[in-house]
């Protein structure tokens, strides 16, 4: 479980680092990126997890979102895990498709062969990596928040809904809100979990809310020019589920924004401030 630091650089008075460790859950080496704010010199700081989308690694959010300056001002540690296991022996989609296999773990614990041996991102993020962070980094694990983009937005919503006592706040950028009802989700959940749709509900934010899961509130930004809006993301499904259940939701439709990291960079300061207020409360 020991951490190996692969890189580190001074950043806005804090440090931006990449770590690697041997994961018992995935059976592979796993990497994750950590921004540690300057306030950590005085003691543990609150943690914001950011889960990335299809094709991404731990680098995408770290390099493209521009989150470190505001995180340094707010005293937030940013942790960006990888999106799937990688390495020799880890299976990938036979056609090398971008939406299944490497880079597309969908934050599930797979039950179908050959994926079940390594694709255990749910347990990795719910249990293994938090324990490692608590043991090795100056993180205040009593104050955690989570966010994500696209597939990572799906991951952030479902992790928080399954673990409401762990996270003080949750937000997302253009999340897949109902994998049961979109092509990306149907492909991934069929492949990782098999054809029984009853097993998919634990990985669908709308289904979790319909089954009684609740959070204090949810913040979502969705671009109106997102090419995946109507076919894959379908924010109106989450809007309806929250309205029916009485689940507080702030869904902001941002005119003209697409699915890219330019969209995330445009609103990341809002999300950090929103989380920061709840982590201080």
């Amino acid at each position: 479980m020991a951490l190996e630091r692969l890189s580190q650089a001074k950043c806005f008075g804090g440090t931006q680092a990449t770590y690697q460790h041997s994961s018992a859950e995935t059976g592979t080496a796993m990497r994750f990126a950590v921004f540690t704010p300057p306030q950590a010199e005085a003691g543990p700081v609150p943690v914001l997890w950011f889960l990335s989308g299809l094709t991404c690694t731990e680098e995408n959010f770290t390099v493209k979102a521009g989150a470190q300056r505001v995180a340094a001002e707010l005293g937030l540690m940013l942790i960006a895990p990888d999106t799937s296991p990688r390495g020799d022996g880890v299976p990938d989609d036979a056609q090398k498709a971008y939406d299944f296999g490497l880079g597309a773990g969908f934050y599930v614990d797979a039950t179908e062969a050959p994926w079940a041996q390594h694709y255990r991102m749910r347990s990795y993020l719910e249990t293994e990596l938090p324990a490692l962070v608590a043991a090795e980094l100056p993180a205040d694990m009593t104050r955690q928040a989570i966010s994500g983009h696209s597939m990572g937005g799906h991951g952030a919503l479902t992790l928080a809904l399954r673990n409401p006592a762990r996270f003080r706040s949750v937000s997302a950028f253009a999340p897949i809100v109902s994998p049961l009802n979109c092509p990306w989700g149907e492909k991934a959940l069929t492949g990782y979990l098999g054809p029984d749709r009853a097993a998919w509900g634990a990985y669908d934010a709308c289904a979790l809310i319909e089954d009684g899961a609740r959070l204090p509130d949810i913040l979502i930004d969705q671009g109106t020019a997102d090419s995946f809006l109507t076919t894959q993301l379908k924010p109106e499904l989450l809007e309806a589920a929250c309205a029916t259940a009485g689940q507080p939701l702030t869904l902001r439709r941002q005119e003209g924004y697409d699915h890219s990291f330019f969209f995330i960079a445009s609103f990341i300061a809002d999300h950090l401030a929103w989380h920061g207020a709840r982590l201080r409360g």
Side-chain angles (χ1 to χ4, degrees):
M1 290 285 286
L3 283 181
E4 175 189 3
R5 190 171 66 201
L6 301 179
S7 66
Q8 180 171 292
K10 190 80 171 180
C11 184
F12 292 104
T15 58
Q16 181 64 59
T18 300
Y19 294 95
Q20 180 172 281
H21 70 103
S22 178
S23 168
E25 287 291 350
T26 68
T28 67
M30 293 294 293
R31 292 162 61 115
F32 63 101
V34 180
F35 172 72
T36 303
Q39 293 85 341
E41 294 180 4
V45 293
V47 177
L48 174 61
W49 301 81
F50 192 92
L51 308 185
S52 288
L54 293 166
T55 76
C56 291
T57 70
E58 74 286 344
E59 288 188 347
N60 296 76
F61 174 76
T62 300
V63 173
K64 296 180 179 180
Q68 290 91 341
R69 178 183 62 80
V70 177
E73 293 171 359
L74 296 172
L76 300 179
M77 178 179 288
L78 304 177
I79 301 180
D82 202 349
T83 54
S84 76
R86 303 178 194 271
D88 294 341
V90 177
D92 193 10
D93 182 76
Q95 282 74 45
K96 303 296 182 182
Y98 76 95
D99 56 356
F100 192 77
L102 297 182
F106 262 82
Y107 304 103
V108 307
D109 278 355
T111 56
E112 295 291 296
W115 317 101
Q117 181 179 357
H118 297 294
Y119 284 75
R120 296 185 50 80
M121 293 301 293
R122 172 181 176 174
S123 290
Y124 175 68
L125 289 171
E126 285 188 343
T127 305
E128 184 176 26
L129 186 55
L132 182 60
V133 167
E136 300 287 343
L137 299 176
D140 180 354
M141 302 302 279
T142 69
R143 294 186 290 164
Q144 296 185 64
I146 192 166
S147 185
H149 172 230
S150 194
M151 178 186 73
H154 139 76
L157 290 171
T158 55
L159 260 73
L161 286 162
R162 290 194 305 264
N163 301 275
R166 174 179 164 191
F167 298 105
R168 293 197 184 183
S169 54
V170 58
S171 74
F173 296 85
I176 304 170
V177 303
S178 184
L180 278 80
N181 293 290
C182 73
W184 278 341
E186 290 177 355
K187 176 179 179 178
L189 298 183
T190 299
Y192 293 134
L193 304 177
D196 182 6
R197 294 174 68 90
W200 301 5
Y203 301 107
D204 185 291
C206 293
L208 287 166
I209 291 168
E210 289 166 0
D211 287 343
R214 295 290 183 271
L215 295 167
D217 47 18
I218 300 170
L219 171 64
I220 289 177
D221 275 314
Q222 173 62 64
T224 62
D226 192 318
S227 60
F228 303 114
L229 178 59
T230 59
T231 57
Q232 305 282 9
L233 306 178
K234 304 183 179 182
E236 68 277 4
L237 297 180
L238 182 63
E239 204 167 32
C242 287
T244 298
Q247 165 64 53
L249 169 68
T250 300
L251 173 57
R252 309 192 304 187
R253 290 175 169 86
Q254 304 290 2
E255 188 66 31
Y257 284 88
D258 61 15
H259 200 69
S260 71
F261 267 87
F262 296 114
F263 164 56
I264 298 173
S266 298
F267 299 102
I268 190 63
D270 288 356
H271 284 241
L272 293 175
W274 192 81
H275 288 293
R278 285 152 180 80
L279 291 168
R280 287 192 300 272

